[in-house]
Amino acid sequence: MSSITFKRAADDEWRIYDHDGDCVGEVFLQADILNPGAHYYLVWLSEDPRGFVRVHDRSRVREVAQQRLDSHPYG
């Protein structure tokens, strides 16, 4: 398992970097249209055919991003 870091790209967007400093994906903050005032995070890894994963709990974003990177089909 490698470690990841996040760097803010915009108020609602972060880049995900692997331990080599390569950008491997992004996290987007999205408003939850079915629950006014709530939001969730979309974790998306580059070239991942599985697509994005939705994370509702901010404290789990790092864990989910790391799991996705560790199980990336092209990694």
Side-chain angles (χ1 to χ4, degrees):
M1 170 159 63
S2 62
S3 62
I4 57 174
T5 58
F6 298 88
K7 291 186 183 175
R8 182 182 294 268
D11 288 341
D12 58 353
E13 184 178 336
W14 298 264
R15 303 280 188 266
I16 305 169
Y17 294 88
D18 67 7
H19 67 280
D20 293 326
D22 298 323
C23 183
V24 295
E26 299 175 285
V27 175
F28 302 97
L29 178 65
Q30 298 286 307
D32 187 343
I33 62 172
L34 299 177
N35 189 4
H39 61 270
Y40 57 87
Y41 300 87
L42 294 178
V43 176
W44 177 80
L45 297 183
S46 303
E47 299 181 21
D48 191 339
R50 299 172 295 181
F52 64 84
V53 63
R54 187 175 292 142
V55 180
H56 292 276
D57 184 356
R58 180 178 181 223
S59 67
R60 294 201 60 232
V61 169
R62 178 177 299 280
E63 171 192 350
V64 170
Q66 186 68 61
Q67 287 173 351
R68 298 290 280 191
L69 184 58
D70 292 344
S71 64
H72 195 293
Y74 301 139

